[in-house]
């Protein structure tokens, strides 16, 4: 990304003037450029932009990503144009934010919507060719007579991200090889250290992985093979590997995969991105295709999903609404109490009461979760009970709302205090003179004015809590879960549900997760537009 | 200007708590009267205080608890030691804390600057696309970035292949991502504030010989300091507390933020009990910068939040 | 120092509003020109175009020898005083005054000298360290002036600089600004909607209405011979009395019939206004200023055919004169110009209080008229003004 964030066409007006030019006031001295410092900063920023562009271009050229390169060049040229032209003044101020907005907010939204119409998920990630290659690779079986190598699993560079490498020792010939996805290359004996049994323990230029690191990369390992003339070398367990040939092969004629041993065939189904046998059995490895509205349809047609989805939507609304309601209620009570003109020690109360608002929320959610712990939690110990607070849906909900109240009422207290103090004193005094009792005056004058002033903020608060991932994920993780549907918990919000579908343990279903994201977009969008229509926000655009 | 200090200013609802006039004759019953006048305020204040403080007290107490387990942590510390602090500071936590500070400060400062620039353009210039731009910003801010988490992850997976330095498992990538939300979040709030600065000031400066940039940096920015303080503080708190994207993006121990790292300490219920002291110590350390900033900028905050409320 | 020349300058907004139409103005070097007119007449727009704060749609603007249409404000070498003063709230008085000099990267010592000189001139010396918030309205106004003076520009532009001051201070600052302008001898364009400021301050007045220049001239000339009904009604306080009358050719000369009154028009009136004869038998708008009428009982020598009769509705004794309100039984003048004047005075929505036309006259303080009296008013016929009620233009030659 172009990092052209700063318009440096400036210098502090009070900055040190170099050698005053005496009578500069006649318009002769000011030639349209700003101070030399401003000019230097501007040149430096544009040079930085150019440098970043070059840095960004290198990998694009290397991978021959010409479209990416074209975009990079266009953005860089745009940057130069905007900051060098004297005419594009508003753009000078808008460009950096707009570029970031497009790259990291608008594009992802577009991408999300596009993904929602695909079957993108584990097993349906890549193209059909990649799926075929993976199926063939995974079906490799040992070729009779070929060697079994002592295997050491390593990585080229960083243990968690570097390409996998098989360090192989042939026990019969005592030769050593490095096997990569490009093929087998002999290693010099001098570059490797070997154990007594002959296994390689270290090799120059590679990082040997320990068991934990290997298990982190199990998926990579499963898909990894070293191509050879006959077929491919693949691992058998973690310490040996064999040279084998694929048992399954793709035949373009019938657009199908045939298993050499059993003779079974799986025919490609381009609508679903999978190879399907006559009896309906599909191969795990498929490819990514557009599936139209199927993901959205599943929300409403799949019984398990539908029931949990509706339940989640209802709770999601209730959660957001109740959070706003209780935080506003308690905030109002405390604000009224502390607004009492005869109260001493206001500052003391105020600065301590708002402390939770300043505490790091993530940590405090976790503190609360642990206070609700069944065996060790503070709450059970204080109450002398042994209740599994987070183990049942109803008490989980209450617990979460209590946490929300604690974290949120301080904020409401602050803004209500501010709003109270901006309501003209004359109004309540006039009501008092008219004979209204205090509570009546509050109910008929102060409270309606407060609501008017704070309505947009309450709407924002609702919209924020509608997607309050942290509150749910950190306190209950969406749980408790019922055995019949482990993917949707009792306190799940749509956003935590989405997160679990995409990144949870049970295999990623990006397409479905994206579809739910789109549904959230729609819900939030409709609510907000309806709400903001009633406020002045939209009018202010004009 | 929408700033109203939160210091004890003019009291607006003076009527509340004063008894009705007929009460005057019962001055003798001083106790009941005291309660009606200020007692109830103290009662509500004290209860709110207790509610606000007890989890904080608990986490501080747990941090000082030498045993360091959840089960042995009390509301009030029985014995005190700094063992937990020593232990957490010798692990990965300093690194996480530093990452959080770095991301928090940079993302708050840069976001503030980006949205101040945009607010200046929207407030001061009339140009084609201004109305459309404002509407777009208003709509886009309705959609939090993290809703597109799936797409963001996939996009950054591609970026990682090309530029690992700004991809997954890099705080710089996360920073860029946070900056993508900058324009949406604060531009409206700031524009509303900028609009309250009379245009005469810009024009006067222009006639005096200032360029548009000199007007922005020399005249406008110094005058909007309160809103800069508020957006900066809120941006910092938001970045430090961002968990969803950070937890997906940052999986290497060395690049985690404190929020992600602390979560890891107590994520597993099996280890939560044993690690709770460590976690609490980390939480207390993490709270120091935000609480300090908050106290420091407190006088701006109510005004800024209320301005946001009024401006939508 | 420089002259300012506007040649056929137009301002047309995108929404179609034509704010300034074909404005031609020559402001001589060192001249103090007051641009006056009701709000919305385009005077501020014209000033802002000179300042470079509004684009000029068509036409040319020259300051000195340079056409400055496309130059930015900073390069025009002008200084401007704003109605709101536009003091930078975060800077001290000294910094406010010095700001323009610092932007021009002037030598620090020279800045200091100039600031002190300007501050001395405006008696701001003791306030240099204060912030604008700590100053009174009058002091702020002086700082705004100081900021303009210190620049020693070719042109001063002032946009209603006194309208935020209370009446007494305004009178004082009026004189001071005029004095400073004379001392510095800097070409000045001064925008106001207050005709008193226009009359008292400027070397010349340029009067605008609805984007169109109405008349330019020195104040007394404009007062004495307004070119049209609008100028007549706008300049002068109280405004010129006007009613519809008709010119008739009588046995001995021309007569003016004004309601039930008939005034003879002396030869000199027609000699000065040859075109008036052509209006015989037609309606004209007749204007008479308050000081050109007198209580007939004090002006014994006034001819009987130079009098009108009316009933007094109100008197205001000011000491130096007595202001007498009465109603003339002639129809009101109702043209586009009078509507514009009513809009400016915000009287357009008031109900018409009576039949006929209210007049205001200034009598000598010896007059003893009381409300309700039926009196005779002597009119100085030489100083009557005649306008064509169709075109609004003065009837002259």
């Amino acid at each position: 990304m172009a990092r052209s964030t700063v318009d440096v066409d400036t210098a502090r007006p009070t900055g040190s003037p170099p050698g005053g030019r005496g009578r500069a006031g006649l318009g002769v001295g000011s030639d349209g450029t700003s101070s030399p410092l401003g000019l230097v900063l501007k040149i430096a920023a544009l040079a930085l932009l150019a440098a970043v562009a070059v840095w960004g271009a290198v990998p694009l050229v290397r991978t021959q990503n010409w479209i990416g390169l074209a975009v990079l060049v266009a953005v860089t040229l745009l940057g130069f144009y905007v900051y060098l032209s004297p005419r594009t003044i508003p753009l000078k101020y808008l460009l950096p934010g707009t570029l970031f907005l497009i790259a990291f907010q608008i594009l992802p939204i577009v991408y999300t919507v596009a993904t929602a119409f695909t079957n993108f998920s584990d097993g349906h990630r890549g193209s059909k060719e990649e799926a075929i290659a993976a199926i063939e690779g995974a079906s490799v079986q040992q070729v009779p007579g070929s060697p079994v190598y002592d295997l050491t699993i390593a990585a080229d560079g960083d243990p968690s991200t570097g390409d996998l490498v098989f360090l192989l020792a042939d026990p019969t010939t005592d030769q050593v090889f490095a096997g990569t996805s490009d093929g087998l290359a002999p290693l010099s004996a001098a570059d490797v250290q070997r154990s007594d049994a002959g296994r390689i323990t270290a090799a120059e230029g590679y990082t040997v992985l320990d068991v934990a690191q290997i298990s982190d990369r199990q998926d990579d390992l499963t898909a990894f093979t070293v191509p050879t003339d006959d077929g491919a070398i693949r691992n058998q367990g973690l310490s040996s590997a064999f040279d084998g040939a694929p048992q399954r092969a793709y035949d373009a004629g019938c657009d199908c995969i045939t298993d050499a041993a059993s003779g079974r065939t799986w025919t490609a189904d381009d609508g679903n991105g999978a190879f399907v046998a006559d009896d309906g059995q599909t191969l795990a490895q498929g490819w990514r295709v557009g599936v139209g509205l199927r993901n959205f349809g599943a929300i409403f047609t799949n019984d398990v999903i539908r029931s949990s989805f509706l339940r989640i939507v209802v709770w999601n609304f209730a959660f957001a609404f109740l959070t706003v309601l209780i935080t506003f209620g308690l905030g109002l009570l405390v604000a009224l109490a502390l607004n009492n003109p005869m109260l001493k020690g206001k500052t003391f109360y105020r600065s301590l009461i708002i402390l939770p608002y300043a505490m790091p929320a993530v940590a405090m959610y976790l503190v609360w979760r642990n206070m609700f712990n069944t065996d060790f939690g503070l709450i059970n110990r204080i109450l002398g009970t042994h209740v599994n607070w987070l183990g049942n849906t109803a008490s989980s909900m209450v617990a979460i709302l209590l946490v929300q109240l604690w974290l949120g009422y301080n904020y409401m207290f602050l803004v209500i205090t501010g709003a109270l103090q901006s309501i003209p004193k004359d109004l309540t005094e006039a009501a008092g003179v008219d004979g209204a009792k205090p509570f009546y005056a509050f109910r008929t004058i102060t409270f309606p004015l407060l609501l008017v002033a704070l309505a947009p903020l309450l709407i924002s608060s609702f919209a924020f809590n509608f997607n309050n991932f942290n509150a749910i994920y950190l306190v209950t993780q969406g749980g408790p879960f019922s055995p019949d549907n482990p993917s949707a918990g009792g306190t799940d919000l749509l956003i935590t549900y989405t997160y679990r579908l995409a990144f949870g343990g049970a295999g990623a279903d990006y397409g479905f997760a994206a579809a739910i994201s789109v549904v959230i977009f729609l819900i939030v969008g409709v609510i907000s537009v309806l709400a903001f229509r009633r406020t002045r926000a939209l009018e202010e655009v004009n | 200007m929408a700033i109203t200090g939160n210091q004890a200013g003019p009291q607006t609802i003076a009527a509340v708590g004063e008894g009705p006039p007929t009460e005057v004759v019962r001055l003798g019953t001083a106790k009941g009267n005291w309660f009606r006048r200020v007692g109830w305020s103290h009662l509500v204040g004290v209860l709110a205080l207790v509610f606000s403080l007890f989890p904080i007290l608990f986490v501080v107490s747990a941090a000082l608890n030498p045993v360091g387990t959840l089960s042995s942590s009390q509301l009030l510390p029985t014995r005190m030691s700094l063992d937990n602090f020593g232990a957490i500071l010798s692990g990965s936590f300093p690194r996480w804390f530093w990452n959080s500070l770095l991301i928090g400060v940079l993302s708050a400062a840069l976001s503030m600057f980006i949205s101040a620039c945009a607010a200046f353009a929207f407030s001061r210039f009339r140009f084609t696309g201004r109305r459309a731009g404002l509407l777009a910003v208003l709509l886009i801010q309705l959609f939090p970035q993290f809703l597109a988490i799936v797409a963001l992850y996939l996009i950054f997976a591609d970026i990682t292949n090309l530029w690992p330095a700004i991809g997954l498992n890099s705080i710089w990538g996360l920073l860029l991502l946070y900056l993508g939300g900058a324009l949406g979040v604060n531009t409206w709030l700031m524009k509303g504030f900028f609009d309250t600065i009379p245009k005469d000031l810009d024009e006067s400066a222009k006639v005096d010989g200032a360029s548009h940039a000199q007007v922005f940096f020399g005249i406008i920015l110094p005058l909007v300091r309160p809103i800069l303080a508020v957006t900066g503080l809120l941006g910092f708190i938001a970045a430090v507390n961002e968990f969803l994207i950070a937890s997906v993006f940052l999986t290497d121990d060395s690049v985690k933020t404190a929020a992600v790292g602390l979560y890891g300490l107590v994520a597993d219920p099996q280890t939560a009990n044993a690690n709770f002291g460590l976690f609490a110590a980390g939480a207390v350390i993490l709270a120091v910068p935000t609480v300090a900033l908050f106290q420091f900028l407190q006088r701006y905050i109510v005004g800024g939040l209320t301005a946001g409320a009024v401006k939508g | 120092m420089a002259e300012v020349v506007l040649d056929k300058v137009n301002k047309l907004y995108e929404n179609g509003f034509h704010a300034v139409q074909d404005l031609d103005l020559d402001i001589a070097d060192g001249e103090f020109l007051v641009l006056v007119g009701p709000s919305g007449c385009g005077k501020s727009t014209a000033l802002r175009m000179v300042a470079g704060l509004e684009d000029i749609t068509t036409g040319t603007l020259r300051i000195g020898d340079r056409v400055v249409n496309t130059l930015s404000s900073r390069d025009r070498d002008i200084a401007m005083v704003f109605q709101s003063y536009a003091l930078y709230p975060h800077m001290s008085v000294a910094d406010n005054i010095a700001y323009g000099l610092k932007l021009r990267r002037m030598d620090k010592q020279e800045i200091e000298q100039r600031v002190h000189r300007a501050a001395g001139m405006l008696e701001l010396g003791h306030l240099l360290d204060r912030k604008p918030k700590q100053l009174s309205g009058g002091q702020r106004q002086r700082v705004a002036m100081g900021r303009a003076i210190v620049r020693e520009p070719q042109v001063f532009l002032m946009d209603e600089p006194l309208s935020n001051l209370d009446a007494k201070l305004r009178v004082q600052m009026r004189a001071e600004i005029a004095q400073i302008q004379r001392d510095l001898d800097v070409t000045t364009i001064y925008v106001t909607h207050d005709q008193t400021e226009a009359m008292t301050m400027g070397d010349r007045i340029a009067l605008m209405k609805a984007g169109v220049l109405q008349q330019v001239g020195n104040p007394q000339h404009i007062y004495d011979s307004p070119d049209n009904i609008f100028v007549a009604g706008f300049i002068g306080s109280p405004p010129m009395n006007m009613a519809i009358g008709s010119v008739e050719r009588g046995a001995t000369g021309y007569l003016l019939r004004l309601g039930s009154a008939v005034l003879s028009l002396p030869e000199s009136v027609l000699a000065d206004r040859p075109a008036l004869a052509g209006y015989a038998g037609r309606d004209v708008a007749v204007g008479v200023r308050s000081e050109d009428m007198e209580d007939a009982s004090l002006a014994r020598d006034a001819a009987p055919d130079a009098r009108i009769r009316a009933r007094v509705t109100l008197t205001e004794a000011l000491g130096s004169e007595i202001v007498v309100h009465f109603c003339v039984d002639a129809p009101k003048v109702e043209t586009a110009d009078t509507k514009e004047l009513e809009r400016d005075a915000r009287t357009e929505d008031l109900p018409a209080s009576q039949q006929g036309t209210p007049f205001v006259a200034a009598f000598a303080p010896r007059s003893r008229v009381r409300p309700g009296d039926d009196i005779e008013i002597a009119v100085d016929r030489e100083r009557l003004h005649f306008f064509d009620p169709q075109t609004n233009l003065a009837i002259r030659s």
Side-chain angles (χ1 to χ4, degrees), chain A residues 190-487:
Chain A
D191 288 340
V192 299
Q193 292 172 25
R194 301 175 66 177
S195 68
D196 295 342
R199 172 188 304 281
I200 300 173
T201 54
E204 185 80 20
Y206 302 106
T207 317
V208 172
L209 304 185
D210 60 30
V211 177
Q213 288 165 337
I214 293 171
S215 75
D216 280 347
R217 305 195 59 180
Q218 194 60 49
D219 291 346
D220 293 345
L221 185 60
T222 313
F224 184 78
T225 57
V226 181
T228 61
D229 299 337
D230 313 331
I233 296 174
R234 58 173 302 129
N235 65 310
Q236 188 169 42
L238 298 183
S239 57
S240 65
F242 57 83
D243 193 354
Q247 297 300 299
R248 289 176 180 175
Y250 175 71
D251 179 356
C254 64
D255 196 15
C256 64
I257 299 260
T258 309
D259 189 296
S262 65
R264 213 168 162 198
T265 60
W266 292 265
T267 311
D269 174 354
D270 286 317
N272 289 313
F275 288 105
V276 190
D278 294 339
D279 60 4
Q281 188 244 348
T282 57
L283 292 177
Q285 191 68 49
W287 63 98
R288 186 172 167 184
V289 291
V291 294
L293 289 168
R294 193 188 303 164
N295 288 323
F296 296 95
I299 298 174
F300 302 104
T301 54
N302 181 317
D303 282 343
V304 177
I305 297 177
R306 185 182 58 202
S307 63
S308 53
F309 184 81
L310 284 180
R311 190 171 46 74
I312 290 171
V313 169
V314 169
W315 160 240
N316 205 336
F317 273 97
F319 167 77
F321 178 75
L322 289 173
T323 298
V324 175
L325 186 73
I326 58 179
T327 53
F328 182 77
L330 185 57
L332 180 63
L333 176 68
V334 178
L336 288 177
L338 295 194
N339 213 24
N340 185 341
M342 278 169 288
L343 181 71
K344 292 205 176 68
K346 281 194 188 71
T347 327
F348 168 77
Y349 281 123
R350 190 167 293 168
S351 56
L352 287 179
I353 283 175
I354 60 170
L355 210 50
Y357 184 54
M359 295 292 285
V362 170
M364 295 316 291
Y365 278 127
L366 292 168
V367 169
W368 274 95
R369 169 164 120 196
N370 283 293
M371 290 202 295
F372 284 115
N373 185 300
T374 316
D375 299 317
F376 316 117
L378 182 72
I379 294 187
N380 271 343
R381 276 189 282 136
I382 285 182
L383 299 178
T385 54
H386 194 264
V387 179
N388 187 359
W389 298 103
L390 304 181
N392 119 0
T393 300
S395 62
S396 294
M397 288 174 171
V398 172
I400 285 178
L401 287 174
L402 182 68
V403 179
Q404 287 293 90
L405 179 64
W406 182 81
L407 266 168
Y409 91 92
N410 326 274
Y411 166 73
M412 290 291 181
F413 160 69
L414 275 181
V415 296
I416 293 169
T417 301
L420 275 180
Q421 291 175 354
S422 67
I423 291 176
K425 201 176 168 182
D426 314 1
L427 294 180
T428 43
E429 282 178 348
V433 171
D434 287 346
K437 294 211 168 166
F439 181 72
Y440 185 78
F442 168 77
R443 192 166 61 78
T444 53
I445 309 232
T446 312
F447 188 67
L449 285 173
L450 266 186
L451 275 190
V452 169
L454 297 178
L457 193 135
L458 297 180
I459 296 167
S460 306
S461 175
F462 179 86
F464 173 80
N465 281 298
F466 195 84
N467 286 309
N468 197 334
F469 176 84
N470 286 3
I472 301 299
Y473 189 78
L474 297 177
V475 178
T476 66
Q477 299 189 294
F481 295 93
S482 70
D484 52 317
N485 186 1
S487 71

Side-chain angles (χ1 to χ4, degrees), chain A residues 118-135 138 219 222-223 269-276 282-289 291 501-502 505-511, chain B residues 154:
Chain A
T118 70
N119 66 346
F120 196 4
S121 57
D122 275 351
H124 298 271
R125 283 171 178 269
S127 64
K128 190 171 176 182
E129 289 69 35
E130 287 166 343
I132 292 167
I135 291 169
D219 291 346
T222 313
D269 174 354
D270 286 317
N272 289 313
F275 288 105
V276 190
T282 57
L283 292 177
Q285 191 68 49
W287 63 98
R288 186 172 167 184
V289 291
V291 294
L501 288 174
D509 191 347
Y510 298 125
Chain B
L154 299 172

Side-chain angles (χ1 to χ4, degrees), chain C residues 58-370:
Chain C
T58 61
T60 51
L61 168 65
R62 204 153 54 71
I63 298 179
D65 307 326
R66 298 186 301 167
V67 173
V68 298
N69 281 41
T70 56
L71 282 187
S72 65
S73 306
R74 52 195 285 196
D75 299 327
R76 294 188 184 191
D77 198 21
I78 48 174
M80 184 156 167
V81 179
F82 290 78
Q83 181 176 6
S84 65
Y85 316 138
L87 302 184
Y88 312 125
H90 57 304
M91 297 184 194
S92 68
V93 168
D95 286 341
N96 260 286
I97 296 178
Y99 182 68
L101 304 180
K102 285 179 181 167
L103 284 176
R104 281 170 171 71
R105 295 199 287 287
M106 192 179 281
D107 187 73
K108 264 191 185 148
Q109 270 186 321
E110 168 137 25
I111 292 181
E112 199 157 319
Q113 278 176 9
R114 284 217 208 172
V115 169
H116 276 99
R117 202 159 57 222
M121 233 166 136
L122 294 158
E123 294 163 24
L124 288 169
H126 58 297
L127 300 173
L128 284 176
D129 293 331
R130 302 246 181 114
K131 289 277 173 65
K133 224 188 282 180
Q134 299 162 295
L135 303 180
S136 70
Q139 290 168 334
R140 287 180 204 184
Q141 213 284 329
R142 281 162 193 272
V143 176
M145 281 298 297
R147 211 164 55 176
I149 291 172
V150 79
R151 294 257 316 279
E152 300 178 13
Q154 295 193 61
V155 182
F156 282 145
L157 305 176
M158 304 193 188
D159 190 1
E160 311 211 13
L162 303 181
S163 60
N164 282 349
L165 297 179
D166 62 49
K168 208 168 170 185
L169 211 49
R170 205 178 315 172
V171 174
Q172 185 195 339
M173 282 311 293
R174 207 157 73 192
E176 267 190 58
I177 290 178
Q179 183 63 47
I180 287 169
Q181 196 273 340
R182 266 194 294 281
D183 291 349
L184 298 176
D185 200 25
V186 175
T187 314
T188 301
I189 306 178
Y190 185 107
V191 161
T192 181
H193 66 269
D194 178 351
Q195 63 88 30
T196 316
E197 279 176 28
M199 288 297 291
T200 52
M201 295 178 79
D203 295 329
R204 281 195 303 159
I205 293 177
L207 203 150
M208 291 180 72
K209 182 196 82 177
V212 180
L213 184 63
Q214 303 291 308
Q215 191 173 2
V216 190
N218 76 50
Q220 197 59 49
H221 175 76
I222 288 187
Y223 186 83
D224 289 340
S225 27
D227 278 352
N228 60 36
I229 293 178
F230 180 77
V231 176
F234 192 84
I235 297 290
S237 174
M240 184 187 284
N241 302 293
M242 276 186 268
I244 294 288
S246 60
V247 178
E248 285 165 21
R249 190 171 183 130
T252 54
Y254 287 89
L255 303 173
L256 172 65
R257 188 179 293 277
L258 196 60
S260 56
V262 178
L263 289 80
S264 68
L265 294 175
E267 285 297 319
S268 56
V269 170
L270 280 134
D272 287 350
R273 305 171 183 81
L276 192 57
Y279 281 83
R282 288 165 60 188
D283 281 356
V284 293
V286 182
V288 51
R289 293 208 181 270
S290 62
E291 68 270 25
D292 296 331
M293 292 182 278
E294 184 53 279
D295 184 348
S297 62
L298 300 177
R300 297 284 158 102
D301 50 342
D305 55 358
R307 299 181 181 196
I308 51 179
R309 306 180 62 84
R311 176 170 292 172
V312 176
T313 54
L314 178 70
T315 62
E316 299 166 305
L318 299 181
S320 61
E321 59 184 29
I322 176 162
V323 176
V324 180
H325 297 247
F326 54 90
C327 195
V328 176
D329 57 355
K332 275 187 194 133
V333 181
E334 287 183 0
T335 69
D337 274 10
T338 58
K339 287 213 178 67
E340 186 75 34
L341 288 167
E342 279 177 11
R343 188 151 50 238
D344 181 48
R346 299 181 192 291
T347 55
E348 76 269 31
D349 295 331
L350 295 184
S353 53
Q354 64 231 72
Q355 290 295 313
T357 306
F359 266 46
V360 178
F363 290 173
R366 290 171 294 138
S367 170
R368 291 284 169 265
V369 299
R370 292 274 174 278

Side-chain angles (χ1 to χ4, degrees), chain B residues 36-56:
Chain B
R36 295 197 66 132
R37 277 185 295 126
V38 288
W40 74 279
S41 286
H42 280 295
L43 182 68
V44 172
V46 167
L47 287 178
L49 208 63
V50 169
F51 180 50
S52 270
L53 289 186
F54 91 92
I56 297 175

